[in-house]
Amino acid sequence: MIEELVPGATGLAQLERIWRGTGPVRLARACRIPVEIAAKRVAEAAAGTRAVYGVNTGFGKLASVRIASADTATLQRNLIRSHCAGVGPAADAALVRLMIALKLLSLGRGASGVRWEVIALLEGMLAAGVVPVVPVQGSVGASGDLAPLAHMTAVMIGEGAADVAGRRLPGAEALAAAGLSPVALGPKEGLAMINGTQFSTAAALAGLFAGWRAAANALLVSCLSTDAIMGSTEPLQPGIHALRGHRGQIEAAATMRLLMEGSAIRESHRDGDTRVQDPYCIRCQPQVTGAAMDLMRQAATTLQIEANAATDNPLVLETGIVSGGNFHAEPVAFAADMIALALAEVGAIAQRRVALMVDPALSFDLPPFLTRSPGLNSGLMIAEVTSAALMSENKHLANPCSTDSTPTSANQEDHVSMAAHGARRLQPMCTNLEHILGIEALCAVQGVEFRAPLETSAALRAAMARLRADVPALDDDRILGPELEIAAGLVRDGGLLAACGMPFPELSA
């Protein structure tokens, strides 16, 4: 299936499919006419005598330097070479593919002035699985994600490096292996390729998609935890949440009610339970994770708009070729900070449920650390400590990046967004959260099994069976590290969610 992008109308679901998939992506063919009109205007400007930034001038602080028309191609090639200054590990293939797709969307608005040939090469790279090697560090999120996008573009001119068919090759060889040829960049085309927020936006979207799946898992796993400690479902009553009115909270409570419907464990202690209220980590799960869902949806609104935006500079308008500042990634930086807060809080309340289940003073008669022979065995003691370490790490990572700025390029770029690393930190935060939720799942399933012969609901039993297919119950102590990875993987790939066969809230901007 070919994913066809319509600039201005591409939604989150399609972007997530591109991020998770490996298939071809192309621009809607209706984009070609406005793209070629803009390219013609740039060509005319390049042949004229008036100074036009990035067409016949230098860049940044060097914008006052005029460039001869004979040197136009050299100017654009040098721009790409000089800006390939990123460092650090290479971005994963899924992120780079999404970044290329976002660049297609931006160019497809018909305001960048590139030839259709440039767009066709990007489409060809996606179709053939040519993935440029893009170091993740080096962008401050203003004047575009210059270094990451330059590394992407270098492959297009036959330089840099790319992964194709399991091999890392020099750019020209990678293109040749895929039956593609390099492009010679024309006026403004190099600048159009590296100005823009596509690296930051792709990283933020990746964090959003993974974070949303983690939040859905948090609803599921918290229901298992509730039955493990024989908690109450009274706080899930719809009237409570309707009186407050927040969409995420209402949906979270409704999902949890459905998941727990038919639980014999819950029915067993409706009468005669001496406890009046459960701790907040059980009772306030809809309020906390629901609020995180609302926050992620607010960020999603921003990122969907940004994904469809023309963010290079200058832009080709009907009134002329105009310099502006759409490359400044402040909206993306704010969105990334919002997602980071949401991820940290989903993990924080989940970790408290882990702590609740392993503590015999709070778990309503579960054995210490969920082991049948405490003392001789430590059970899930250190798994809980690991969850605490990950929770704390995510709290530190959630500190805002958008409030930071530093002048660059000889003070020409004197305020920057820091969106790139603000978005990039979301991936390790999601990984930490997936491990926290995986540990909670292991504890909760073990706790529910201690309530036998009472059983939880059919939906939750299905999730338990999926976990137990890969991770057996913990009797005597054993090395748990690999099993924690398996449990986190079931969170990450949606295995537990799929096993339930129940609807979960959808991400919609």
Side-chain angles (χ1 to χ4, degrees):
M1 173 183 172
I2 297 176
E3 294 286 354
E4 185 167 275
L5 302 173
V6 179
T10 296
L12 294 170
Q14 186 176 20
L15 294 172
E16 184 169 5
R17 287 197 304 270
I18 292 169
W19 177 61
R20 295 190 185 278
T22 58
V25 181
R26 73 174 193 178
L27 269 179
R29 277 2 196 191
C31 297
R32 184 160 188 164
I33 292 175
V35 165
E36 291 183 338
I37 289 172
K40 182 180 178 182
R41 288 177 177 156
V42 168
E44 291 170 350
T49 58
R50 188 173 71 89
V52 179
Y53 175 69
V55 176
N56 52 18
T57 74
F59 307 103
K61 195 74 171 179
L62 303 175
S64 60
V65 179
R66 286 295 299 272
I67 306 298
S69 59
D71 292 327
T72 296
T74 302
L75 173 70
Q76 300 299 317
R77 185 173 62 250
N78 285 348
L79 175 69
I80 302 307
R81 287 173 170 171
S82 66
H83 284 57
C84 283
V87 299
D92 63 65
L95 176 57
V96 175
R97 276 179 47 82
L98 182 56
M99 179 176 71
I100 295 173
L102 296 181
K103 179 54 76 174
L104 283 172
L105 277 171
S106 182
L107 298 177
R109 294 300 294 265
S112 299
V114 303
R115 294 163 297 154
W116 191 259
E117 178 183 351
V118 173
I119 288 169
L121 180 54
L122 287 172
E123 292 176 340
M125 290 165 62
L126 286 172
V130 177
V131 180
V133 176
V134 178
V136 296
Q137 293 173 287
S139 173
V140 293
S143 199
D145 292 317
L146 297 171
L149 290 170
H151 284 277
M152 177 194 77
T153 308
V155 176
M156 299 174 67
I157 63 172
E159 302 190 16
D163 295 328
V164 60
R167 296 185 298 162
R168 180 159 292 180
L169 299 172
E173 292 181 30
L175 291 177
L180 301 171
S181 299
V183 66
L185 297 174
K188 192 188 175 295
E189 287 180 338
L191 190 59
M193 292 303 300
I194 69 171
N195 252 186
T197 66
Q198 286 76 39
F199 176 79
S200 297
T201 305
L205 283 168
L208 174 69
F209 298 146
W212 187 265
R213 179 172 284 182
N217 274 277
L219 299 179
L220 163 61
V221 176
S222 66
C223 291
L224 284 166
S225 299
T226 299
D227 262 357
I229 62 104
M230 300 187 82
S232 175
T233 56
E234 292 300 301
L236 301 179
Q237 287 192 28
I240 294 173
H241 308 286
L243 282 169
R244 199 171 197 187
H246 292 296
R247 176 186 174 187
Q249 178 180 330
I250 291 168
E251 290 180 347
T255 300
M256 293 176 70
R257 287 195 304 273
L258 281 173
L259 286 167
M260 298 194 71
E261 187 174 345
S263 169
I265 295 176
R266 174 64 188 113
E267 296 303 319
S268 72
H269 62 97
R270 284 191 182 274
D271 299 320
D273 194 330
T274 58
R275 296 170 297 171
V276 177
Q277 295 183 129
D278 292 318
Y280 288 0
C281 64
I282 298 293
R283 191 175 6 139
C284 298
Q285 168 69 337
Q287 287 82 357
V288 175
T289 296
M293 291 161 55
D294 283 340
L295 200 58
M296 283 192 271
R297 281 182 171 135
Q298 291 174 39
T301 298
T302 296
L303 294 176
Q304 181 172 329
I305 293 170
E306 189 74 7
N308 285 276
T311 56
D312 61 288
N313 180 61
L315 292 172
V316 183
L317 309 179
E318 291 184 4
T319 56
I321 302 175
V322 184
S323 289
N326 279 5
F327 52 71
H328 200 297
E330 196 79 357
V332 182
F334 284 153
D337 280 348
M338 292 164 66
I339 296 168
L341 291 171
L343 297 175
E345 281 299 274
V346 172
I349 195 169
Q351 199 283 326
R352 296 319 303 156
R353 292 190 294 268
V354 174
L356 183 71
M357 287 184 282
V358 301
D359 187 344
L362 300 172
S363 64
F364 201 60
D365 299 327
L366 290 175
F369 305 108
L370 299 167
T371 179
R372 295 186 186 279
S373 302
L376 178 62
N377 291 297
S378 296
L380 289 158
M381 177 191 295
I382 305 305
E384 185 270 329
V385 174
T386 296
S387 74
L390 297 174
M391 173 192 68
S392 185
E393 183 176 320
N394 270 6
K395 288 179 180 178
H396 286 281
L397 288 170
N399 281 295
C401 295
S402 58
T403 52
D404 187 22
S405 180
T406 188
T408 61
S409 296
N411 279 301
Q412 177 74 4
E413 299 157 8
D414 58 351
H415 182 277
V416 298
S417 71
M418 299 301 180
H421 68 266
R424 186 166 50 83
R425 62 161 165 183
L426 299 178
Q427 184 173 3
M429 289 188 72
C430 286
T431 300
N432 288 345
L433 177 55
E434 290 155 359
H435 280 89
I436 293 169
L437 294 171
I439 292 168
E440 183 185 359
L442 290 171
C443 291
V445 169
Q446 186 95 348
V448 168
E449 289 169 344
F450 276 120
R451 301 300 182 185
L454 295 173
E455 291 186 322
T456 187
S457 69
L460 296 179
R461 290 200 304 275
M464 291 174 61
R466 179 64 191 88
L467 181 68
R468 284 291 178 246
D470 292 340
V471 181
L474 182 63
D475 294 322
D476 294 329
D477 283 347
R478 59 176 183 261
I479 293 175
L480 290 178
E483 297 178 4
L484 302 190
E485 295 294 343
I486 291 170
L490 288 171
V491 171
R492 184 179 306 114
D493 67 16
L496 297 180
L497 298 176
C500 286
M502 302 281 285
F504 286 84
E506 294 183 359
L507 175 61
S508 54

